[in-house]
Amino acid sequence: MRTGGKTGLYILLLFILLLSAGQQISFASQNNIQSTVIKAGVYDNPPKIFINKSGNPDGIFIDVIKSLAKKENLHIKYVSGEWMQLITMLADGEIDILPDVAYSKERDSLFTLSTLSLLGSWLEVYTTDAVRINSVLDLNGKLIGVLKGSMQENYLNTIAKNTFNINFKTVDYNDYTHSVLSLKNHEIDIIVADRFFYFSELCDKEIHPTGIILRPTELHFAFTKNKDPDLIKMFDKHISMQKNNAKSDYYISLQHWLDKDYKTVIPQYIIILLIISGSVLLVVSAFALLLQYQVKAKTRILRLRNAELIVAKEKAEESSRLKTVFLQNLSHEVRTPMNGIIGFIDLLQESGLNTERQNKYIDIVRKSGNRLLYTLDNIIEISKIESKQIMIRYSKAIVFEVIIHCLDSFRQMAEEKGLRLIFSEYNKNEKVIIKTDKSLLNRILSILIHNAIKFTQQGTVEVGYCMKGNNIEFFVKDTGIGIPGMRLEAIFERFVQADIKNTRLHEGSGLGLSIAKAYVEMLYGKIQVKSEIGKGSTFNFSLPVDPGNKTITDS
């Protein structure tokens, strides 16, 4: 009995020891995961990224990193330094991430950039009252301050001089603080910085933006080459989610850093008026008690008028919403062509321009104007859709005639690119008549044909339709660049293009397909796309031949 008791005791002690060891191993493993530290570089470029007065990292890029770190339970260690120092540290793997990096072939070979950019930017010329700069040609002979090792330094010295046939000298600085100090001390004539410099504290009343725009670019997170692909995917996913949520930390950060504060001061005469109004209100209140019986007598009249006011209020709210949506959707797609128009008009005012260069500038102004007009039209159209201002007017439509009309509208555009614009032979001779809104159908086809031509460099754009039961299915097929599989759903979202790498090659606001999708759904239809990279895309949308009990406005 004693032997059995000791054996049971030994077994119990052994079980306790094993359980304790297992808990220690589990705790050590969890502690190892949580102790992983990701090093992020911080340099002086407010308000995008900088060290604030409290000695802590701050700015738009830092806000996004903090948001991601909180969500993914990451430990971030910030390493501050000068730009060139951090670039070297990233290449050597001493830090893992460097925010605010513009794309270039050299950087793409040295680092891995995030697929999605966080911000769109451009270079702008800043100066003081001592130096007047009216056009890019006025940079000739000037001393220009730039950030050492930056893209603006490389662009000015290698591209700008040859493009505009001017000569100047660049002076590089380790940060914007020292370049601004040199500008105020008249040691240099101007500085070239990105557009976000205007929103920093360094750009005070003594420094003025000239409105001269150079080299649009996109700003990314840069990572040590081939070090941690999962970390890069995590950043891309987070950026995508933040940009597609109007209430995300990303948009809160933009509003915080890019909106200048203004103090509201109540004038003294307003205070006096408020006191007088308050006194009058007391008198009126006393008088209202005497007139209360008259109010009761007029209650019925007021109720009738109230119904009219409700209708007017709803219309006012719709108008207010339309205005709000319109203002929220304005982006650099409006500002960029406007800057191009203003900049090249200034160049046209210069004397000594030859005919070839003058015609070139005029063509750029014309294209920028057309792009601006097209963008504004799309923004207004999507705003009307969101505020439900689009009215559906059903009528009988001959499908053959609608397609022929659309093809004739885009034939010249296709011929200029050497493309064949064809009507599919399938059901070509069948006179199908459907009940729909002809203007919306024409707009849907126009958007799809325009996109097909824009993204096709050679080959054909084919348009056609076929009957499928009680529905008619239209298709627009091209032999263009194609769409990546992971982007097939995103292209129907607002301000989204199929391939981010092609944003500079194919300009546009990314609103066309979202407008087309909205119109298809208004007409009780569905739209989808099939695509293969390098071989082309096919957009299909189906509509009911007869949507049911809908009023025919004309025949």
Side-chain angles (χ1 to χ4, degrees), residues 24 35 56 78 105 108 155 207 239 249 258 272 333 338 362 382 392 403 409 430 482 507:
Q24 290 179 358
S35 64
N56 298 317
Y78 297 99
K105 291 183 178 179
D108 193 48
Y155 170 81
I207 299 177
I239 294 171
D249 294 337
L258 304 186
I272 296 174
E333 278 299 327
M338 181 59 72
I362 291 173
I382 201 68
I392 307 298
I403 294 181
S409 300
E430 185 176 348
E507 298 172 338

Side-chain angles (χ1 to χ4, degrees), residues 137-398:
L137 299 180
D138 291 336
L139 301 182
N140 191 47
K142 298 296 190 294
L143 285 175
I144 304 177
V146 295
L147 194 64
K148 185 176 181 181
S150 63
M151 292 298 295
Q152 53 256 46
E153 179 183 18
N154 180 63
Y155 170 81
L156 289 171
N157 289 324
T158 59
I159 300 177
K161 288 183 178 179
N162 297 328
T163 302
F164 300 103
N165 194 24
I166 54 178
N167 190 26
F168 49 78
K169 183 178 180 181
T170 57
V171 181
D172 52 12
Y173 296 88
N174 291 325
D175 51 52
Y176 282 125
T177 302
H178 289 88
S179 65
V180 169
L181 183 62
S182 295
L183 180 64
K184 292 182 178 180
N185 292 334
H186 307 296
E187 297 172 2
I188 56 177
D189 301 309
I190 59 177
I191 60 175
V192 172
D194 62 63
R195 72 179 181 97
F196 294 98
F197 174 79
Y198 172 77
F199 299 98
S200 69
E201 294 180 354
L202 296 174
C203 189
D204 54 22
K205 295 180 179 180
E206 295 182 47
I207 299 177
H208 312 296
T210 63
I212 298 175
I213 306 301
L214 303 168
R215 193 184 178 275
T217 187
E218 300 291 330
L219 304 177
H220 301 257
F221 287 95
F223 303 81
T224 303
K225 195 73 173 180
N226 300 325
K227 185 173 183 180
D228 193 350
D230 290 335
L231 181 63
I232 302 172
K233 292 179 181 178
M234 183 186 300
F235 268 77
D236 279 329
K237 177 182 177 182
H238 190 75
I239 294 171
S240 177
M241 294 175 61
Q242 292 273 310
K243 282 192 168 184
N244 285 284
N245 180 6
K247 297 181 180 180
S248 67
D249 294 337
Y250 170 76
Y251 290 103
I252 293 174
S253 178
L254 290 182
Q255 185 176 8
H256 171 71
W257 293 108
L258 304 186
D259 285 350
K260 294 190 175 182
D261 296 328
Y262 297 94
K263 293 183 178 179
T264 302
V265 179
I266 301 177
Q268 187 175 3
Y269 73 88
I270 295 294
I271 298 176
I272 296 174
L273 287 176
L274 289 175
I275 295 174
I276 296 174
S277 299
S279 302
V280 173
L281 182 61
L282 292 176
V283 175
V284 171
S285 298
F287 186 68
L289 293 175
L290 300 176
L291 299 178
Q292 186 175 6
Y293 70 96
Q294 292 182 354
V295 173
K296 292 180 179 180
K298 295 182 179 181
T299 299
R300 291 184 179 180
I301 300 175
L302 291 176
R303 286 177 179 174
L304 294 174
R305 292 181 178 177
N306 187 50
E308 297 176 354
L309 289 174
I310 290 175
V311 175
K313 175 177 174 291
E314 290 176 351
K315 291 183 178 179
E317 288 176 346
E318 288 179 355
S319 176
S320 176
R321 184 184 176 190
L322 178 62
K323 178 182 178 182
T324 301
V325 172
F326 173 77
L327 293 175
Q328 288 177 344
N329 284 318
L330 285 178
S331 66
H332 72 278
E333 278 299 327
V334 174
R335 295 191 298 270
T336 300
M338 181 59 72
N339 288 329
I341 293 171
I342 294 173
F344 282 96
I345 286 178
D346 288 340
L347 292 178
L348 285 170
Q349 294 176 344
E350 299 294 329
S351 59
L353 286 177
N354 56 43
T355 302
E356 181 181 355
R357 187 175 289 264
Q358 189 178 42
N359 290 336
K360 179 180 179 182
Y361 291 168
I362 291 173
D363 185 58
I364 292 174
V365 171
R366 179 182 61 81
K367 290 181 178 178
S368 296
N370 289 336
R371 177 185 171 190
L372 178 61
L373 181 60
Y374 185 76
T375 299
L376 289 175
D377 286 342
N378 279 348
I379 292 176
I380 293 172
E381 194 168 358
I382 201 68
S383 300
K384 288 183 178 180
I385 292 172
E386 287 193 358
S387 58
K388 299 181 180 179
Q389 296 288 319
I390 302 297
M391 300 296 294
I392 307 298
R393 295 178 174 85
Y394 285 93
S395 62
K396 294 180 180 179
I398 301 175

Side-chain angles (χ1 to χ4, degrees), residues 68-135:
L68 185 146
K70 181 179 179 181
K71 183 175 181 181
E72 302 293 342
N73 195 25
L74 300 179
H75 298 274
I76 307 295
K77 179 180 180 181
Y78 297 99
V79 180
S80 63
E82 297 172 355
W83 173 254
M84 288 301 297
Q85 178 186 3
L86 293 174
I87 283 287
T88 302
M89 293 177 69
L90 184 65
D92 295 338
E94 297 177 15
I95 59 175
D96 305 300
I97 309 169
L98 181 58
D100 190 25
V101 178
Y103 171 83
S104 71
K105 291 183 178 179
E106 180 182 0
R107 289 177 179 175
D108 193 48
S109 64
L110 293 174
F111 316 114
T112 300
L113 301 182
S114 59
T115 304
L116 299 177
S117 65
L118 188 68
L119 297 169
S121 184
W122 54 77
L123 302 181
E124 187 165 357
V125 177
Y126 297 84
T127 185
T128 62
D129 290 332
V131 179
R132 288 193 172 274
I133 302 294
N134 296 316
S135 73

Side-chain angles (χ1 to χ4, degrees), residues 499-515:
D499 192 344
I500 297 172
K501 297 178 181 178
N502 288 332
T503 300
R504 295 296 101 203
L505 186 61
H506 302 284
E507 298 172 338
S509 61
L511 288 174
L513 290 178
S514 65
I515 293 173

Side-chain angles (χ1 to χ4, degrees), residues 51-69:
I51 299 296
N52 60 26
K53 295 179 181 179
S54 301
N56 298 317
D58 218 342
I60 299 172
F61 277 90
I62 298 300
D63 289 342
V64 172
I65 291 177
K66 289 180 178 178
S67 176
L68 185 146

